[in-house]
Amino acid sequence: AQSVTQLGSHVSVSEGALVLLRCNYSSSVPPYLFWYVQYPNQGLQLLLKYTTGATLVKGINGFEAEFKKSETSFHLTKPSAHMSDAAEYFCAVSYTGNQFYFGTGTSLTVIP
Amino acid sequence: GAVVSQHPSWVICKSGTSVKIECRSLDFQATTMFWYRQFPKQSLMLMATSNEGSKATYEQGVEKDKFLINHASLTLSTLTVTSAHPEDSSFYICSAPPGQEGYNSPLHFGNGTRLTVT
């Protein structure tokens, strides 16, 4: 069965430090990959996506992610954390476009 | 970009009453919409898939009679929580799949509805 694993339900970083949020998928067929951000009491906002082409994908707010097929990973990074980055982050995969699988989420705390 | 509007953003109701949540696609047609439930500090749990003009498809364990879904038009899907109880208190989010945009497009999410049953 397809699944998405986000290692680390909580991640804390200092302001200005590197942000690394991990996501791994389990399937033999590479899916379409997405990262979403959720602020309190709001829906999910797309950060970035990987479909085909360049494996390093740049998204909004300075985030980027790299698709590594050999590692079945799609980790999210940002060189320098900002206080406004504090939120819940979800990795998601899709194979057909009508069925999405979400990870359990990672709560990012930014320490001033 | 595609916009999904969800209303209301929050609602408080008394136990035993029913609450209707609306999800509208504002600038595109959505033949399918997903309804999710999210508990605090947890991921999204798919409740059901609504299909325009036909019955919704419910996930295992979701009570069809309690969570009534209607997809009356290509731009409107509704979720009605019937005879609500405190344990139904949660954050409900709707989304529309890429559809005609292509299978590699992201889901479009509403801003969610915070339901509190007293």
Side-chain angles (χ1 to χ4, degrees):
Chain A
Q2 291 87 345
S3 69
V4 183
T5 303
Q6 289 183 243
L7 288 177
S9 58
H10 299 277
V11 171
S12 292
V13 300
S14 298
E15 189 175 16
L18 171 71
V19 176
L20 171 60
L21 305 182
R22 300 178 185 274
C23 174
N24 289 85
Y25 65 91
S26 60
S27 72
S28 57
V29 177
Y32 301 124
L33 296 150
F34 308 88
W35 273 101
Y36 289 89
V37 60
Q38 184 182 32
Y39 298 100
N41 293 311
Q42 293 188 28
L44 275 67
Q45 179 184 2
L46 180 70
L47 277 177
L48 48 78
K49 67 176 183 179
Y50 170 78
T51 54
T52 59
T55 56
L56 181 62
V57 181
K58 295 186 183 298
I60 63 172
N61 302 339
F63 284 94
E64 61 183 37
E66 186 172 10
F67 169 59
K68 292 186 177 180
K69 184 178 178 180
S70 61
E71 299 177 6
T72 62
S73 69
F74 191 56
H75 302 330
L76 181 70
T77 61
K78 181 173 181 177
S80 176
H82 192 273
M83 295 299 293
S84 61
D85 295 328
E88 191 81 16
Y89 292 81
F90 292 96
C91 181
V93 302
S94 172
Y95 297 90
T96 65
N98 264 8
Q99 185 63 276
F100 286 74
Y101 301 89
F102 287 89
T104 51
T106 298
S107 177
L108 176 65
T109 299
V110 182
I111 304 167
Chain B
V3 177
V4 174
S5 175
Q6 188 171 343
H7 178 80
S9 55
W10 59 270
V11 58
I12 301 173
C13 70
K14 292 186 176 181
S15 186
T17 62
S18 295
V19 174
K20 179 185 285 187
I21 302 170
E22 293 188 348
C23 185
R24 294 180 184 274
S25 57
L26 296 186
D27 52 358
F28 66 104
Q29 293 183 335
T31 57
T32 300
M33 284 192 178
F34 299 129
W35 286 96
Y36 294 91
R37 181 173 181 176
Q38 186 180 31
F39 293 100
K41 304 298 184 183
Q42 294 188 29
S43 188
L44 284 71
M45 181 192 77
L46 181 64
M47 299 175 63
T49 302
S50 73
N51 303 291
E52 188 270 335
S54 62
K55 291 183 179 180
T57 303
Y58 290 83
E59 296 300 303
Q60 190 173 7
V62 177
E63 298 178 59
K64 300 178 182 181
D65 295 332
K66 180 162 197 58
F67 299 100
L68 300 180
I69 290 175
N70 182 271
H71 199 139
S73 73
L74 289 172
T75 59
L76 175 64
S77 176
T78 61
L79 167 66
T80 301
V81 183
T82 62
S83 186
H85 288 91
E87 57 265 31
D88 298 326
S89 298
S90 192
F91 193 59
Y92 295 87
I93 309 175
C94 68
S95 72
Q100 295 178 350
E101 293 179 38
Y103 290 134
N104 59 4
S105 296
L107 285 172
H108 309 298
F109 285 90
N111 279 330
T113 297
R114 171 72 60 191
L115 171 63
T116 301
V117 184
T118 61

